[in-house]
């Protein structure tokens, strides 16, 4: 019996266009984002000129089709881009993520052609900014428990309720808003996603939340008081909004993992440079086994995390369901990023605790990663449910 010949093997090489994308985003981060990093932290604001440059280079349209002016880089390309953005203050990737990964992504995934034709071109240029309004004071992890209602009146829906912790809520023009259209049906037929103009009399924005970190990226409440939404602004089908929310979050969780990889890689590079320079006991601390073990573990975890992200993105680009992989990526990469920045700070010692190294900022910014876009406990639930199904 003939034994199979040598298999072709897996190709782990990124395509040339994605290598180019990586290089150009890295250059943009170093040239345009790093110089304003401290300013963003100190003022809690991304300068308008920087936002404009982010728009010019196409960051707001990265994952969307070329026909709408997007870069159409696919989920893998988008993850590569977010990995590079992860090397700058988390504020930048947060603003892009709320817009691309979830806010406009819901419209891209499930919106009608008419809605997309009307809005996607201006979303891709960043002329319109989007956000994703699912969470409510009593519906965080239990997303199906939302109370914001949408009642059909003639050719419009009238929306009432409060969404909170909405990233980009302060300056977004439109939101994907998840509403209850049938209280009896819940997640299976009772929730509807609406594409809502936030610059209308029925919508108020709360003050920006005071947060532990992520300065420069704002969250606030969105308060709907008889807000009118044209009936043709339903995203997908009436009653199927929960599925839209979950499918969109699958995308968001994957790219969030990519940002964690980039931030961790950047932290590792800083830790290596510091460990080679810092002399204690007559030699660089990089020669101390305790430090070496930390560096080795960090590098190993990043290697695993990056491969997970790329594999999940590859699955997404093939059109396969990747909910479990997205949950695994989100859980692992965010826990990793938190643990990595903790060890990077440890390697820096006292200077890591000081503002000027920027590491304490990374430490504060990282903490939310295990909470938003679905807590890591929820990710474990999703993984386990899939395993025992
Ligand atoms: N893709 C497609 N369909 C999905 C899906 C996905 N990723 N996830 C769930 N669904 C479907 C299910 O298949 C189910 O329908 P059927 O029973 O007909 O198959 C339906 O949606 C309801 O799902 P489920 O029973 O899992 O709903 P639960 O109320 O138990 O909630 C969790 C599921 C906990 C996973 C969900 O509420 C969640 O993700 N919570 C976290 C919310 C979050 O991430 N918030 C962050 C703020 S927004 S940035």
């Amino acid at each position: 019996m003939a034994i199979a010949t040598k298999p072709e093997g897996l190709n782990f090489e990124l395509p040339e266009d994605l290598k180019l994308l990586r290089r150009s985003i890295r250059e943009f981060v170093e040239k345009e984002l790093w110089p304003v990093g401290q300013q963003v932290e100190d003022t809690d604001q991304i300068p308008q000129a920087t936002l404009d440059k982010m728009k010019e280079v196409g960051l707001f349209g990265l994952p969307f089709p070329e026909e709408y002016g997007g870069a159409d880089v696919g989920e893998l390309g988008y993850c590569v881009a977010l990995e590079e953005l992860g090397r700058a203050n988390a504020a930048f990737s947060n603003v892009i993520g709320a817009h691309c990964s979830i806010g406009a992504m819901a419209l891209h995934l499930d919106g009608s052609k008419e809605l997309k034709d009307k809005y996607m071109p201006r979303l891709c240029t960043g002329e319109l900014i989007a956000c994703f309004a699912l969470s409510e004071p009593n519906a965080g992890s239990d997303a199906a428990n939302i109370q914001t209602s949408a009642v059909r009146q003639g050719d419009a829906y009238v929306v009432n309720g409060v969404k909170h912790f909405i990233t980009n809520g302060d300056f977004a023009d439109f939101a994907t808003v998840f509403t209850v259209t049938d209280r009896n049906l819940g997640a299976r037929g009772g929730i509807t996603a609406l594409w809502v103009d936030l610059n209308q009399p029925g919508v108020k924005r709360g003050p920006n939340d005071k947060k532990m970190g992520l300065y420069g990226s704002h969250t606030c409440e969105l308060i709907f008081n008889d807000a009118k939404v044209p009936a043709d602004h339903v995203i997908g089908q009436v009653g199927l909004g929960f599925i839209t929310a979950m499918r969109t979050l699958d995308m968001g969780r994957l790219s969030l993992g990519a940002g964690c990889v980039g931030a961790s890689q950047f932290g590792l590079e800083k830790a290596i440079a510091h460990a080679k320079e810092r002399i204690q006991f007559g030699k660089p601390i990089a020669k101390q086994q305790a430090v070496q073990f930390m560096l080795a573990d960090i590098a190993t975890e990043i290697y695993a995390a990056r491969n997970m992200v790329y594999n999940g993105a590859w699955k997404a680009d093939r059109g396969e369901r990747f909910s479990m992989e997205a949950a695994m990526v989100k859980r692992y990469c965010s826990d990793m990023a938190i643990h990595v920045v903790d060890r990077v700070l440890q390697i820096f010692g006292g200077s890591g605790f000081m503002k000027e190294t920027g590491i304490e900022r990374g430490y504060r910014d990282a903490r939310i990663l295990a909470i938003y876009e679905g807590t890591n406990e929820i990710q474990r639930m999703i993984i386990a449910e899939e395993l025992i199904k």
Side-chain angles (χ1 to χ4, degrees):
M1 191 181 80
I3 303 214
T5 49
K6 195 174 159 202
E8 249 182 47
L10 286 168
N11 183 0
F12 285 104
E13 186 83 13
L14 278 183
E16 279 308 314
D17 51 348
L18 294 195
K19 286 186 192 164
L20 187 66
L21 175 76
R22 182 194 289 291
R23 271 201 301 278
S24 57
I25 305 259
R26 184 170 293 207
E27 276 168 27
F28 181 79
V29 164
E30 292 177 5
K31 183 161 174 274
E32 305 292 350
L33 304 188
W34 281 358
V36 294
Q38 194 55 46
Q39 184 186 341
V40 170
E41 180 68 6
D42 294 341
T43 61
D44 190 17
Q45 193 72 46
I46 299 177
Q48 187 57 47
T50 307
L51 269 177
D52 292 343
K53 283 177 191 150
M54 290 163 72
K55 291 175 187 180
E56 268 165 39
V57 296
L59 293 186
F60 285 82
L62 276 170
F64 304 125
E66 273 176 355
E67 61 171 310
Y68 294 128
D72 211 358
V73 294
E75 191 60 14
L76 181 59
Y78 184 56
C79 284
V80 168
L82 279 202
E83 190 183 334
E84 291 305 319
L85 277 180
R87 299 171 68 85
N89 287 31
F92 301 108
S93 56
N94 232 45
V95 167
I96 295 297
H99 173 87
C100 288
S101 313
I102 50 180
M105 183 57 76
L107 182 68
H108 166 62
L109 288 178
D110 284 342
S112 67
K113 182 170 179 338
E114 291 72 25
L115 264 191
K116 290 199 271 194
D117 286 350
K118 188 165 175 192
Y119 293 109
M120 285 309 294
R122 284 182 292 157
L123 288 163
C124 287
T125 57
E127 182 191 335
L128 293 178
I129 300 293
C131 64
F132 184 83
L134 174 65
S135 297
E136 297 181 5
N138 291 314
S141 290
D142 186 5
N145 189 42
I146 57 169
Q147 302 297 313
T148 296
S149 63
V151 176
R152 178 86 188 242
Q153 281 183 12
D155 56 3
Y157 283 89
V158 179
V159 178
N160 282 288
V162 176
K163 298 289 179 181
H164 83 162
F165 299 160
I166 306 304
T167 304
N168 289 359
D170 59 329
F171 79 128
D173 301 283
F174 279 83
T176 298
V177 180
F178 296 90
T179 63
V180 178
T181 41
D182 189 333
R183 288 214 183 272
N184 298 319
L185 296 178
R188 290 174 190 78
I191 291 176
T192 299
L194 297 173
W195 182 243
V196 181
D197 183 350
L198 298 178
N199 299 313
Q200 60 157 303
V203 181
K204 282 207 171 58
R205 304 166 201 249
N208 289 342
D209 299 315
K210 292 188 167 49
K211 310 193 292 327
M212 171 178 172
L214 282 184
Y215 296 146
S217 163
H218 304 148
T219 67
C220 68
E221 280 192 341
L222 294 177
I223 303 133
F224 301 94
N225 196 353
D226 286 339
K228 306 265 184 318
V229 183
D232 61 2
H233 279 45
V234 169
I235 297 177
Q237 289 179 44
V238 174
L240 297 188
F242 194 74
I243 309 284
T244 297
M246 293 300 118
R247 290 180 63 226
T248 307
L249 284 171
D250 286 347
M251 304 294 267
R253 289 164 183 165
L254 208 51
S255 47
L256 185 148
C260 294
V261 171
S264 300
Q265 177 67 41
F266 188 50
L268 174 64
E269 289 166 18
K270 280 174 123 173
I272 291 172
H274 177 78
K276 284 163 88 170
E277 255 175 32
R278 174 79 175 154
I279 310 287
Q280 288 293 278
F281 303 106
K283 60 182 179 185
I285 60 170
K287 290 288 179 195
Q288 302 287 0
Q289 199 178 52
V291 172
Q292 290 188 338
F293 279 13
M294 282 195 266
L295 295 175
D297 285 349
I298 292 171
T300 307
E301 288 158 27
I302 293 172
Y303 178 53
R306 183 177 286 119
N307 278 294
M308 277 176 95
V309 170
Y310 290 0
N311 184 266
W314 171 80
K315 240 184 154 180
D317 281 335
R318 284 162 64 98
E320 294 174 25
R321 175 112 182 234
F322 61 98
S323 307
M324 185 174 74
E325 287 79 2
M328 288 172 162
V329 161
K330 199 278 173 178
R331 201 244 93 201
Y332 182 79
C333 295
S334 58
D335 280 342
M336 173 197 72
I338 294 168
H339 192 200
V340 165
V341 73
D342 186 49
R343 283 170 290 175
V344 171
L345 200 151
Q346 190 69 16
I347 290 169
F348 269 77
S351 60
F353 196 70
M354 302 300 151
K355 293 265 180 201
E356 62 261 27
T357 56
I359 291 161
E360 66 84 36
R361 173 183 57 72
Y363 186 85
R364 284 183 287 105
D365 287 353
R367 188 59 185 85
I368 190 66
L369 293 165
I371 299 169
Y372 70 2
E373 301 225 10
T375 63
N376 285 3
E377 291 70 30
I378 289 293
Q379 307 312 318
R380 288 182 176 91
M381 272 171 55
I382 294 171
I383 297 162
E385 286 297 332
E386 187 64 30
L387 293 176
I388 63 176
K389 189 156 94 177

